[in-house]
Amino acid sequence: MAKRRRRKLPSILQQPMYYAIRAVLGAMLTGDIDANLRTARALGRAWARFEPKRVQRAVENIAVAFPDMPEDQRMAHAMQSYEHLFMLGVETAYTARLINHDGWSEHVRMGDLRETVRLLTADRPCLLLTGHCGNWELLGYTLALIGFPIHALYRPLDLKPMDQWVRRTRERRGLVLVDKFGAAEAVTKVMRKRGLLGFIADQNAGDRGLFVPFFNRLAATYKTIGLLAIRYDAPILCGQARRLVWERDHATENNAETMGKSRSLGFAEWSGEPFRYRVDIHDIIMPEDWKHQQDPLFYITARYRRALEQMVRNAPEQNLWLHRYWKSRPRHERMGRPMPEAMKDKIRALPWITEGDLERIEERSRRDALEAVGVG
């Protein structure tokens, strides 16, 4: 079946729409950020009421990731996902003003980035990965601001004047946005020049993706990242910018002993002010980690999926649960067959996978296979 084409705004209306959006953003910036974020949360919850099907999809996705979570908590996280999305809109409007050379440390705390800095200053290509959990734009924007220019693949905005404005404002701080459509030449140049290339890597990769575990269910995952890492001998940095939440984070973020152990950098203490984030690199996948693996590409892809899973576990209320992470299914499931032994062996060989994990993955695959052929 042919894909439905997205309707584009007529070119004659694009400039007026751009000015209207800029006017709204300008008005927003004259107000109090705390009040604007409270308004954004309320608007997010209100918008969710008009999308019951998508909210239900989010609840179902949360049930896959957290099968033991109570139903009311799943619904709460689904609604918080909408709140988070609308809050990101406000924070994006404030980013260029607040995240600058003089003021970034008032809003962003850096975790232990010693190994990350060593790699980024070692004159070698690196890949930076994150997911739609937390503030994916702030991660690259902040690293570029403090001296590590990033080329980040992205999907251009349909509103061309708005897209051009976003690219200009981000590039002033060293974050170069690369159109993901036809990006092969640009990607090759970045890697050959030993640059830092950024990806948002948690989307469904389609039937041609590599199927690896994600919350104990097989998920189609991009091969490109692993192939680039192997070709250019490039380390993979899996990072996240997570919004701090007072109820969860105030004790650790204000604990001097904890800060000393992690060598955090950024605001000295935190009293619950809005737009406060923490940047961490959760995993670094080095070439020596995969070179002796039986299937290096499978290992790399599964490991970075594992890092993305950890990011979601750290802040489930900041994940975009609307995405169809498990939409595409592997061939054996589509044909209603059991998981092949070769796939089991690859999963079993992953160092972090236990026999219990494998049993859960296999059982979920069996259920998906039955559902694919209309049984059960």
Side-chain angles (χ1 to χ4, degrees), residues 14 23 29 54 59 85 107 111 127 143 159 169 219 223 225 233 242 263 287 309 316 331 354 362 376:
Q14 291 213 4
L29 292 174
R54 291 188 176 184
V59 172
L85 184 59
H107 300 277
L127 302 173
L143 289 177
L159 190 62
T169 57
K223 301 176 185 177
I225 294 164
D233 208 36
R242 175 176 59 84
R263 300 202 175 201
E309 180 179 320
R331 185 172 183 270
T354 66
E362 187 177 3

mmCIF file of all heavy atoms in Angstrom, residues 14 23 29 54 59 85 107 111 127 143 159 169 219 223 225 233 242 263 287 309 316 331 354 362 376:
data_model
loop_
_atom_site.group_PDB
_atom_site.id
_atom_site.type_symbol
_atom_site.label_atom_id
_atom_site.label_comp_id
_atom_site.label_asym_id
_atom_site.label_seq_id
_atom_site.Cartn_x
_atom_site.Cartn_y
_atom_site.Cartn_z
ATOM 1 N N GLN A 14 3.958 30.053 3.460
ATOM 2 C CA GLN A 14 5.031 29.637 4.359
ATOM 3 C C GLN A 14 5.671 30.822 5.083
ATOM 4 O O GLN A 14 5.916 30.755 6.286
ATOM 5 C CB GLN A 14 6.091 28.854 3.580
ATOM 6 C CG GLN A 14 5.585 27.507 3.112
ATOM 7 C CD GLN A 14 6.679 26.459 3.075
ATOM 8 O OE1 GLN A 14 7.816 26.695 3.466
ATOM 9 N NE2 GLN A 14 6.319 25.279 2.617
ATOM 10 N N ALA A 23 6.592 35.332 16.002
ATOM 11 C CA ALA A 23 5.923 36.289 16.885
ATOM 12 C C ALA A 23 5.482 35.617 18.187
ATOM 13 O O ALA A 23 5.648 36.176 19.278
ATOM 14 C CB ALA A 23 4.722 36.910 16.177
ATOM 15 N N LEU A 29 9.137 34.511 24.968
ATOM 16 C CA LEU A 29 10.425 34.821 25.599
ATOM 17 C C LEU A 29 10.362 36.048 26.504
ATOM 18 O O LEU A 29 11.270 36.268 27.303
ATOM 19 C CB LEU A 29 11.492 35.015 24.525
ATOM 20 C CG LEU A 29 11.880 33.764 23.735
ATOM 21 C CD1 LEU A 29 12.831 34.113 22.611
ATOM 22 C CD2 LEU A 29 12.509 32.727 24.647
ATOM 23 N N ARG A 54 -3.682 7.562 20.142
ATOM 24 C CA ARG A 54 -2.240 7.669 20.364
ATOM 25 C C ARG A 54 -1.888 7.496 21.834
ATOM 26 O O ARG A 54 -0.849 6.921 22.179
ATOM 27 C CB ARG A 54 -1.724 9.006 19.837
ATOM 28 C CG ARG A 54 -1.761 9.106 18.317
ATOM 29 C CD ARG A 54 -1.063 10.354 17.829
ATOM 30 N NE ARG A 54 -1.015 10.407 16.376
ATOM 31 C CZ ARG A 54 -0.401 11.358 15.694
ATOM 32 N NH1 ARG A 54 0.230 12.333 16.334
ATOM 33 N NH2 ARG A 54 -0.411 11.336 14.369
ATOM 34 N N VAL A 59 0.319 3.912 26.109
ATOM 35 C CA VAL A 59 0.096 3.031 27.260
ATOM 36 C C VAL A 59 0.530 1.604 26.923
ATOM 37 O O VAL A 59 1.167 0.917 27.739
ATOM 38 C CB VAL A 59 -1.384 3.071 27.690
ATOM 39 C CG1 VAL A 59 -1.660 2.005 28.753
ATOM 40 C CG2 VAL A 59 -1.752 4.449 28.222
ATOM 41 N N LEU A 85 6.626 16.759 25.673
ATOM 42 C CA LEU A 85 6.750 17.232 24.297
ATOM 43 C C LEU A 85 6.452 18.722 24.201
ATOM 44 O O LEU A 85 7.175 19.478 23.529
ATOM 45 C CB LEU A 85 5.809 16.440 23.395
ATOM 46 C CG LEU A 85 5.876 16.746 21.890
ATOM 47 C CD1 LEU A 85 7.270 16.484 21.348
ATOM 48 C CD2 LEU A 85 4.847 15.909 21.137
ATOM 49 N N HIS A 107 22.190 26.133 33.720
ATOM 50 C CA HIS A 107 21.076 25.295 33.283
ATOM 51 C C HIS A 107 21.455 23.857 32.979
ATOM 52 O O HIS A 107 20.579 22.997 32.914
ATOM 53 C CB HIS A 107 20.430 25.918 32.039
ATOM 54 C CG HIS A 107 19.902 27.288 32.276
ATOM 55 N ND1 HIS A 107 18.669 27.525 32.832
ATOM 56 C CD2 HIS A 107 20.464 28.515 32.067
ATOM 57 C CE1 HIS A 107 18.477 28.828 32.948
ATOM 58 N NE2 HIS A 107 19.559 29.449 32.491
ATOM 59 N N GLY A 111 27.821 15.406 33.744
ATOM 60 C CA GLY A 111 28.264 14.259 34.523
ATOM 61 C C GLY A 111 29.750 14.016 34.305
ATOM 62 O O GLY A 111 30.482 14.906 33.882
ATOM 63 N N LEU A 127 31.026 8.735 16.979
ATOM 64 C CA LEU A 127 29.582 8.790 16.780
ATOM 65 C C LEU A 127 28.918 9.084 18.113
ATOM 66 O O LEU A 127 29.293 8.508 19.144
ATOM 67 C CB LEU A 127 29.061 7.467 16.220
ATOM 68 C CG LEU A 127 29.659 7.004 14.895
ATOM 69 C CD1 LEU A 127 29.182 5.591 14.556
ATOM 70 C CD2 LEU A 127 29.306 7.964 13.769
ATOM 71 N N LEU A 143 27.264 20.247 23.905
ATOM 72 C CA LEU A 143 28.604 19.746 23.590
ATOM 73 C C LEU A 143 29.278 20.609 22.524
ATOM 74 O O LEU A 143 30.476 20.891 22.598
ATOM 75 C CB LEU A 143 28.527 18.290 23.127
ATOM 76 C CG LEU A 143 28.186 17.252 24.198
ATOM 77 C CD1 LEU A 143 28.084 15.869 23.576
ATOM 78 C CD2 LEU A 143 29.223 17.254 25.317
ATOM 79 N N LEU A 159 8.199 23.478 7.091
ATOM 80 C CA LEU A 159 8.129 24.922 6.899
ATOM 81 C C LEU A 159 9.550 25.438 6.626
ATOM 82 O O LEU A 159 10.351 25.610 7.544
ATOM 83 C CB LEU A 159 7.526 25.585 8.145
ATOM 84 C CG LEU A 159 7.149 27.064 8.031
ATOM 85 C CD1 LEU A 159 6.083 27.291 6.971
ATOM 86 C CD2 LEU A 159 6.680 27.582 9.382
ATOM 87 N N THR A 169 20.439 29.353 13.774
ATOM 88 C CA THR A 169 20.636 29.567 15.213
ATOM 89 C C THR A 169 21.489 28.465 15.827
ATOM 90 O O THR A 169 22.295 28.727 16.725
ATOM 91 C CB THR A 169 19.294 29.650 15.937
ATOM 92 O OG1 THR A 169 18.529 28.460 15.687
ATOM 93 C CG2 THR A 169 18.494 30.852 15.486
ATOM 94 N N ALA A 219 13.322 -5.409 18.293
ATOM 95 C CA ALA A 219 13.008 -4.109 17.691
ATOM 96 C C ALA A 219 13.919 -3.876 16.495
ATOM 97 O O ALA A 219 15.138 -4.099 16.569
ATOM 98 C CB ALA A 219 13.185 -2.981 18.716
ATOM 99 N N LYS A 223 21.155 -0.277 11.048
ATOM 100 C CA LYS A 223 22.453 -0.898 10.826
ATOM 101 C C LYS A 223 23.533 0.143 10.551
ATOM 102 O O LYS A 223 24.718 -0.105 10.782
ATOM 103 C CB LYS A 223 22.393 -1.842 9.625
ATOM 104 C CG LYS A 223 21.394 -2.976 9.724
ATOM 105 C CD LYS A 223 21.387 -3.767 8.422
ATOM 106 C CE LYS A 223 20.326 -4.844 8.408
ATOM 107 N NZ LYS A 223 20.282 -5.562 7.105
ATOM 108 N N ILE A 225 24.642 2.817 11.843
ATOM 109 C CA ILE A 225 25.539 3.265 12.910
ATOM 110 C C ILE A 225 26.660 2.264 13.129
ATOM 111 O O ILE A 225 27.846 2.616 13.184
ATOM 112 C CB ILE A 225 24.729 3.505 14.193
ATOM 113 C CG1 ILE A 225 23.778 4.690 13.979
ATOM 114 C CG2 ILE A 225 25.643 3.747 15.384
ATOM 115 C CD1 ILE A 225 22.665 4.798 14.986
ATOM 116 N N ASP A 233 36.437 2.675 12.367
ATOM 117 C CA ASP A 233 37.069 2.378 13.656
ATOM 118 C C ASP A 233 36.712 3.455 14.683
ATOM 119 O O ASP A 233 37.567 3.960 15.416
ATOM 120 C CB ASP A 233 38.584 2.288 13.486
ATOM 121 C CG ASP A 233 39.216 1.356 14.513
ATOM 122 O OD1 ASP A 233 38.590 0.336 14.859
ATOM 123 O OD2 ASP A 233 40.332 1.660 14.977
ATOM 124 N N ARG A 242 18.970 14.831 30.407
ATOM 125 C CA ARG A 242 17.757 14.497 31.145
ATOM 126 C C ARG A 242 17.311 15.679 31.996
ATOM 127 O O ARG A 242 18.097 16.240 32.749
ATOM 128 C CB ARG A 242 18.023 13.277 32.038
ATOM 129 C CG ARG A 242 16.886 12.886 32.959
ATOM 130 C CD ARG A 242 17.221 11.605 33.714
ATOM 131 N NE ARG A 242 18.419 11.714 34.522
ATOM 132 C CZ ARG A 242 18.452 12.227 35.762
ATOM 133 N NH1 ARG A 242 17.349 12.696 36.320
ATOM 134 N NH2 ARG A 242 19.597 12.278 36.430
ATOM 135 N N ARG A 263 32.390 13.933 39.696
ATOM 136 C CA ARG A 263 33.066 15.067 39.081
ATOM 137 C C ARG A 263 32.126 15.847 38.168
ATOM 138 O O ARG A 263 32.443 16.159 37.031
ATOM 139 C CB ARG A 263 34.307 14.618 38.308
ATOM 140 C CG ARG A 263 35.320 13.921 39.189
ATOM 141 C CD ARG A 263 36.697 13.957 38.613
ATOM 142 N NE ARG A 263 37.664 13.391 39.541
ATOM 143 C CZ ARG A 263 38.959 13.619 39.507
ATOM 144 N NH1 ARG A 263 39.453 14.428 38.609
ATOM 145 N NH2 ARG A 263 39.769 13.062 40.367
ATOM 146 N N PRO A 287 36.059 0.230 19.638
ATOM 147 C CA PRO A 287 36.353 -0.798 18.627
ATOM 148 C C PRO A 287 36.842 -2.117 19.212
ATOM 149 O O PRO A 287 36.480 -3.192 18.723
ATOM 150 C CB PRO A 287 37.415 -0.130 17.760
ATOM 151 C CG PRO A 287 37.113 1.333 17.880
ATOM 152 C CD PRO A 287 36.667 1.525 19.300
ATOM 153 N N GLU A 309 17.768 1.908 26.053
ATOM 154 C CA GLU A 309 16.820 1.384 27.041
ATOM 155 C C GLU A 309 17.114 1.959 28.425
ATOM 156 O O GLU A 309 16.200 2.326 29.164
ATOM 157 C CB GLU A 309 16.902 -0.140 27.064
ATOM 158 C CG GLU A 309 15.961 -0.790 28.064
ATOM 159 C CD GLU A 309 16.049 -2.304 28.060
ATOM 160 O OE1 GLU A 309 16.166 -2.886 26.960
ATOM 161 O OE2 GLU A 309 15.996 -2.898 29.158
ATOM 162 N N PRO A 316 11.418 7.656 32.447
ATOM 163 C CA PRO A 316 10.306 7.193 31.597
ATOM 164 C C PRO A 316 9.279 8.269 31.300
ATOM 165 O O PRO A 316 8.613 8.217 30.267
ATOM 166 C CB PRO A 316 9.699 6.041 32.408
ATOM 167 C CG PRO A 316 10.171 6.243 33.811
ATOM 168 C CD PRO A 316 11.501 6.894 33.704
ATOM 169 N N ARG A 331 11.263 -11.537 10.070
ATOM 170 C CA ARG A 331 10.651 -12.433 9.076
ATOM 171 C C ARG A 331 10.029 -13.663 9.719
ATOM 172 O O ARG A 331 8.926 -14.092 9.334
ATOM 173 C CB ARG A 331 11.712 -12.844 8.052
ATOM 174 C CG ARG A 331 11.170 -13.687 6.895
ATOM 175 C CD ARG A 331 12.255 -13.878 5.848
ATOM 176 N NE ARG A 331 11.747 -14.630 4.698
ATOM 177 C CZ ARG A 331 11.784 -15.958 4.606
ATOM 178 N NH1 ARG A 331 12.319 -16.677 5.597
ATOM 179 N NH2 ARG A 331 11.299 -16.573 3.548
ATOM 180 N N THR A 354 20.970 -12.642 30.181
ATOM 181 C CA THR A 354 20.886 -13.852 30.994
ATOM 182 C C THR A 354 19.951 -14.854 30.312
ATOM 183 O O THR A 354 19.230 -14.510 29.368
ATOM 184 C CB THR A 354 20.344 -13.523 32.389
ATOM 185 O OG1 THR A 354 18.973 -13.083 32.272
ATOM 186 C CG2 THR A 354 21.159 -12.413 33.055
ATOM 187 N N GLU A 362 12.280 -14.761 23.813
ATOM 188 C CA GLU A 362 11.732 -15.832 22.981
ATOM 189 C C GLU A 362 10.218 -15.952 23.156
ATOM 190 O O GLU A 362 9.484 -16.145 22.183
ATOM 191 C CB GLU A 362 12.417 -17.145 23.335
ATOM 192 C CG GLU A 362 12.046 -18.287 22.411
ATOM 193 C CD GLU A 362 12.800 -19.562 22.731
ATOM 194 O OE1 GLU A 362 13.583 -19.572 23.717
ATOM 195 O OE2 GLU A 362 12.601 -20.557 22.008
ATOM 196 N N GLY A 376 -4.577 -16.549 18.621
ATOM 197 C CA GLY A 376 -4.483 -16.063 19.975
ATOM 198 C C GLY A 376 -4.984 -14.647 20.143
ATOM 199 O O GLY A 376 -5.378 -13.992 19.211
#
